Amino acid sequence: DTGVSQNPRHKITKRGQNVTFRCDPISEHNRLYWYRQTLGQGPEFLTYFQNEAQLEKSRLLSDRFSAERPKGSFSTLEIQRTEQGDSAMYLCASSDSGGAADTQYFGPGTRLTVL
Amino acid sequence: SQQGEEDPQALSIQEGENATMNCSYKTSINNLQWYRQNSGRGLVHLILIRSNEREKHSGRLRVTLDTSKKSSSLLITASRAADTASYFCATDLYGANSKLTFGKGITLSVRP
């Protein structure tokens, strides 16, 4: 399978705990995006990487959220001191700026439930 | 706030009928994309139309774009029960690092 993969697929945690999600983009895609989707809504942009550089962060991304892409390949999204309002589906997407640059390919998502 | 607004919010049709979904947006775009999402799963890219294009086809899909009206439509012909899903339009705003801005989606139900 050469698509975008995300782990874990589901995460249940207690309020106040830290969680970390991982995204493996399509090989050689240099752009990587994180989105968040709540029930009944479309995905909302969180942050964007070009290679290892984090180029943009949404105002939705509070200081409890941090994302990294250390070697320009996989990325992690960490949420510290989780709150019930963080419960959502976290989606990762990747694209290739050299090819069909505008098409973003999405992973299956990580569904977070904060109790 | 969300850029794209899809219409209708929900659509129920009989298998074999055509489904037409509309999307309106507010600001200048590089391109507009349509995605499908099955319940609780990731998004599947369907089709992309650039701002200088007016119509594109892909299999049973036909997308139109009217930049003067800031609107797009997605037509699925000869629908199948397997087309039952949520459909989202997403705009790649001019100068926005290619991040996508999604609407709330349209729930399509195709009755067998």
Side-chain angles (χ1 to χ4, degrees):
Chain A
D1 185 7
T2 58
V4 178
S5 62
Q6 293 187 244
N7 288 288
R9 295 290 306 276
H10 302 272
K11 179 69 177 178
I12 300 174
T13 191
K14 293 183 179 179
R15 188 176 52 187
Q17 298 294 305
N18 300 344
V19 294
T20 300
F21 310 141
R22 176 177 170 130
C23 170
D24 287 88
I26 292 172
S27 179
E28 297 180 359
H29 274 191
N30 58 353
R31 294 181 175 178
L32 188 147
Y33 303 81
W34 285 98
Y35 294 84
R36 181 173 69 187
Q37 184 180 24
T38 54
L39 197 62
Q41 302 293 317
E44 293 179 294
F45 169 78
L46 292 179
T47 190
Y48 156 63
F49 291 85
Q50 174 119 356
N51 299 311
E52 65 275 10
Q54 188 174 18
L55 297 185
E56 187 171 352
K57 293 169 62 173
S58 164
R59 286 173 291 178
L60 292 175
L61 216 63
S62 74
D63 56 6
R64 296 184 298 105
F65 288 70
S66 63
E68 294 182 341
R69 195 183 183 198
K71 297 182 180 179
S73 56
F74 73 91
S75 175
T76 58
L77 177 68
E78 181 183 16
I79 309 174
Q80 296 183 325
R81 305 181 303 280
T82 53
E83 301 173 356
Q84 288 184 325
D86 297 331
S87 295
M89 174 80 89
Y90 289 83
L91 295 161
C92 174
S94 70
S95 68
D96 173 14
S97 64
D102 306 315
T103 300
Q104 292 185 24
Y105 297 91
F106 281 78
T110 295
R111 182 171 296 283
L112 172 66
T113 302
V114 182
L115 302 175
Chain B
S1 63
Q2 295 185 303
Q3 155 88 328
E5 294 287 339
E6 292 101 340
D7 170 61
Q9 291 187 329
L11 182 60
S12 180
I13 59 174
Q14 199 73 33
E15 199 165 33
E17 294 180 337
N18 296 341
T20 300
M21 291 169 270
N22 302 300
C23 170
S24 60
Y25 58 92
K26 298 175 183 175
T27 59
S28 296
I29 61 172
N30 290 321
N31 63 70
L32 185 145
Q33 304 180 43
W34 285 90
Y35 285 83
R36 183 186 74 223
Q37 185 176 40
N38 291 89
S39 180
R41 302 197 175 181
L43 287 92
V44 174
H45 184 264
L46 296 177
I47 196 165
L48 178 153
I49 187 165
R50 301 190 187 284
S51 61
N52 61 352
E53 297 174 317
R54 292 297 166 259
E55 185 172 319
K56 284 188 78 170
H57 296 255
S58 177
R60 294 184 295 114
L61 305 179
R62 172 178 168 257
V63 172
T64 62
L65 179 65
D66 186 336
T67 52
S68 66
K69 295 181 179 178
K70 292 185 170 58
S71 67
S72 172
S73 67
L74 171 68
L75 170 67
I76 304 174
T77 60
S79 63
R80 306 166 181 169
D83 294 328
T84 295
S86 293
Y87 291 81
F88 294 90
C89 74
T91 48
D92 177 351
L93 305 182
Y94 180 74
N97 278 330
S98 294
K99 69 184 181 190
L100 295 176
T101 304
F102 287 82
K104 292 185 177 182
I106 297 170
T107 301
L108 173 65
S109 298
V110 181
R111 304 185 301 274

